[in-house]
């Protein structure tokens, strides 16, 4: 069994599953949560067999009000402690602000903004008391780029997550707790299949702009171990992040031209 236990939300696929594999490979026990229990059980079996770590499955739908507190209670009821937290769960809608069901907007806010805040507030005291903790918030390059239309709330939510991570990084200095915002760009996962933009983004962006989920996970966990407040994997993504951060929104949008609308789907 590992010395530390990491709770990962949205662990059933994509970057979340890649982070689970990365943490297990480094000897950490895991608590895996997502809506879909089947993929979680399969991943837990894989990681235990390959790395000999304990991989506990606690299904939860973070879109439900009160889900973060219920998840923490369920973890405690199993006698498990949480040494690290990866806030990875997320999804998007690309139909535009007025054409998206308000219930979907509310769910996005709960899953990607409210849940990371609540889980961090619930779990950080124990980490600080124990003198060791890791919080990795999976944000996005979209949170560093100018605002765009289409998936209107996604970029602002990720921008919030970046700023909140930086604030927590400042507050936890000297406690043994490390906080990092991971800001990947285009990554090969099922994310774009779920939101229906796979064909569009695949034709719009060349292969050299895309990254593999396992590399993103490795860079992200290296960054949180090193206590970096923010990391943006990949040369192309770093260039885009610099572009988004240094130029006025209107100029940056003109420079990225016809692809500006798609940048919020990273």
């Amino acid at each position: 069994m590992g010395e530390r236990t990491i709770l990962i939300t949205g662990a059933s696929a994509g970057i979340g599953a890649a982070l689970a594999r990365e943490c297990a490979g480094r000897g950490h026990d895991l608590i895996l949560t997502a809506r879909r229990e089947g993929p979680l059980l399969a991943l837990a079996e894989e990681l235990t067999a390959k790395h000999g770590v304990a991989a506990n499955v606690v299904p939860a739908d973070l879109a439900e009000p009160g889900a973060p507190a219920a998840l923490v209670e369920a973890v405690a009821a199993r006698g498990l402690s949480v040494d690290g937290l990866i806030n990875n769960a997320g999804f998007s809608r690309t139909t535009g602000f007025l054409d998206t069901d308000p219930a979907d907007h509310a769910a996005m806010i709960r899953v990607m903004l409210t849940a990371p805040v609540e889980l961090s507030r619930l779990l950080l005291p124990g980490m600080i008391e124990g003198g060791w903790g890791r919080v990795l918030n999976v944000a996005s390059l979209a949170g560093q780029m100018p605002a765009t239309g289409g998936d209107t709330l996604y970029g602002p939510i990720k921008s919030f997550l970046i700023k909140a991570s930086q604030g927590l990084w400042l507050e936890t200095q000297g406690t043994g707790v490390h906080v990092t915002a991971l800001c990947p760009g285009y990554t090969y996962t099922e994310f774009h299949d779920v939101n229906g933009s796979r064909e569009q983004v695949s034709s719009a962006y060349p292969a050299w702009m895309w990254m593999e989920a396992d590399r993103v996970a490795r860079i992200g966990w290296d960054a949180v171990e090193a206590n970096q407040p923010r990391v943006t994997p990949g040369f192309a993504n770093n260039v885009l992040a610099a572009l988004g951060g240094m130029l006025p929104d209107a100029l940056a949008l003109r420079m990225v031209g016809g692809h500006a609308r798609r940048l919020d789907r990273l």
Side-chain angles (χ1 to χ4, degrees):
M1 300 297 177
E3 294 184 359
R4 308 291 184 181
T5 300
I6 313 298
L7 169 62
I8 306 176
T9 72
S12 59
I15 293 174
L19 281 162
R21 294 184 176 99
E22 185 67 27
C23 291
R26 300 187 190 210
H28 296 305
D29 290 338
L30 301 169
I31 302 169
L32 307 174
T33 188
R35 292 178 304 155
R36 299 177 296 171
E37 184 174 19
L40 292 177
L41 291 171
L43 179 60
E45 183 178 356
E46 170 199 329
L47 298 179
T48 298
K50 185 174 182 179
H51 300 291
V53 299
N56 301 274
V57 170
V58 185
D61 184 357
L62 294 177
E64 296 293 330
L71 173 60
V72 171
E73 290 174 4
V75 168
R78 297 192 183 194
L80 301 171
S81 60
V82 178
D83 303 298
L85 168 65
I86 298 177
N87 287 305
N88 168 77
F91 66 97
S92 74
R93 292 291 181 265
T94 61
T95 51
F97 184 76
L98 296 180
D99 291 327
T100 298
D101 188 332
D104 284 343
H105 279 157
M108 285 180 64
I109 292 169
R110 283 196 293 266
V111 170
M112 294 193 292
L113 193 157
T114 305
V117 170
E118 292 186 3
L119 288 171
S120 297
R121 183 62 182 84
L122 290 165
L123 297 172
L124 272 170
M127 297 181 200
I128 292 172
E129 182 179 355
W132 194 98
R134 301 291 183 265
V135 177
L136 183 62
N137 291 319
V138 180
S140 172
L141 176 61
Q144 302 176 74
M145 294 298 296
T148 63
D151 193 354
T152 315
L153 297 186
Y154 186 83
I157 289 171
K158 294 301 189 179
S159 182
F160 169 90
L161 197 56
I162 293 169
K163 293 297 186 182
S165 301
Q166 292 171 323
L168 285 177
W169 180 87
L170 290 169
E171 290 193 33
T172 54
Q173 293 302 288
T175 67
V177 175
H178 297 179
V179 180
T180 296
L182 172 60
C183 303
Y186 285 107
T187 304
Y188 289 115
T189 69
E190 65 177 28
F191 181 85
H192 296 100
D193 300 305
V194 173
N195 72 15
S197 65
R198 168 63 61 196
E199 183 177 354
Q200 185 180 35
V201 296
S202 295
S203 61
Y205 297 100
W208 56 265
M209 288 188 65
W210 291 78
M211 298 187 69
E212 298 290 343
D214 57 353
R215 182 163 179 251
V216 170
R218 183 173 65 255
I219 292 170
W221 198 253
D222 282 344
V224 77
E225 288 289 4
N227 204 17
Q228 294 176 239
R230 184 180 70 190
V231 61
T232 305
F235 174 76
N237 296 327
N238 272 292
V239 170
L240 286 172
L243 174 71
M246 295 172 61
L247 298 175
D249 282 7
L251 177 57
L253 285 171
R254 283 199 298 271
M255 289 184 69
V256 296
H259 298 311
R261 179 174 296 273
R262 302 188 182 102
L263 287 174
D264 62 339
R265 298 169 193 168
L266 299 177

